[in-house]
Amino acid sequence: KTDEEKLKQLCDKTHKEQCVWFLNGYWHKYKDDAEKIWNFKHKCDELDLQNHENGSSLDELNAHRFLEHFNETMTVREMRAKLREVGAIGDGRLSSVPITHILIFRYNLDWHYLVNASQGDNKEEIEEAQRKLEEVQRLYQEAAQRAEEAADALEAAKKSEFQAIAAEKDAQAAKAELEAALAEVKAQEDAYNAKTAELKQKSETGGVVSRNKAAN
């Protein structure tokens, strides 16, 4: 097979398989970027709206979204111009962008070396690359879960805070209502006591007058 055919075959692999191929071929140079490469793979799965993790490339719109997400300054047009310059792709119009094209441009790779990179002779290194990729995937999933749990906790805290504020307001209103009722009861008691005292005084005064008249 020609290198061009090998590149096409590589670009037909899934997003993950292309990333693993790159890490296998350049582990000695870019092993510290394994987490970044996994994030590339995850974003491709997300933006590949039709095939997700089973897909092999992104359409131009989502390729631009991918580049913007990772703050890459290149455009799809610039990337393709560079790939044509080094003979990785022909002059025909391409409708999709595989992650391999992005990696070639992003890391300024020798694509001839990439497509012929050993994938079987260095078994231990390949297994280490796979293990690293899976470890990064696990850490990413754990981080995503913690972020979701934190968001839920924050929402619950906000809800509890609102409920606490509402309960406090209800308690204050109930207290004010109780104080008003107690004041009314006190007023009624005072009025009753005053009326009782008045009637008692009138009764006693009337009795004295009656007794005086009888004595006369």
Side-chain angles (χ1 to χ4, degrees), residues 47-90:
L47 292 174
D48 190 341
L49 303 179
Q50 185 172 1
N51 298 307
H52 299 290
E53 69 275 6
N54 296 318
S56 59
S57 60
L58 302 176
D59 59 37
E60 285 196 16
L61 175 61
N62 283 305
H64 280 295
R65 289 175 176 167
F66 175 96
L67 297 174
E68 289 174 358
H69 178 80
F70 291 104
N71 298 316
E72 297 289 349
T73 58
M74 63 175 164
T75 65
V76 172
R77 179 177 295 180
E78 291 170 340
M79 180 185 66
R80 284 178 172 165
K82 178 65 176 180
L83 293 176
R84 288 191 176 98
E85 182 182 325
V86 297
I89 59 176

Side-chain angles (χ1 to χ4, degrees), residues 67-136:
L67 297 174
E68 289 174 358
H69 178 80
F70 291 104
N71 298 316
E72 297 289 349
T73 58
M74 63 175 164
T75 65
V76 172
R77 179 177 295 180
E78 291 170 340
M79 180 185 66
R80 284 178 172 165
K82 178 65 176 180
L83 293 176
R84 288 191 176 98
E85 182 182 325
V86 297
I89 59 176
D91 294 329
R93 178 175 176 79
L94 301 176
S95 60
S96 60
V97 180
I99 185 63
T100 293
H101 285 181
I102 295 174
L103 293 172
I104 291 173
F105 186 90
R106 172 69 174 73
Y107 289 96
N108 195 26
L109 304 179
D110 177 353
W111 67 273
H112 294 283
Y113 173 87
L114 175 65
V115 298
N116 290 290
S118 175
Q119 300 290 310
D121 296 339
N122 52 344
K123 183 178 180 181
E124 290 184 2
E125 292 185 7
I126 291 173
E127 290 177 349
E128 175 65 13
Q130 183 71 26
R131 184 199 65 76
K132 182 70 174 179
L133 195 60
E134 291 173 354
E135 175 67 8
V136 171

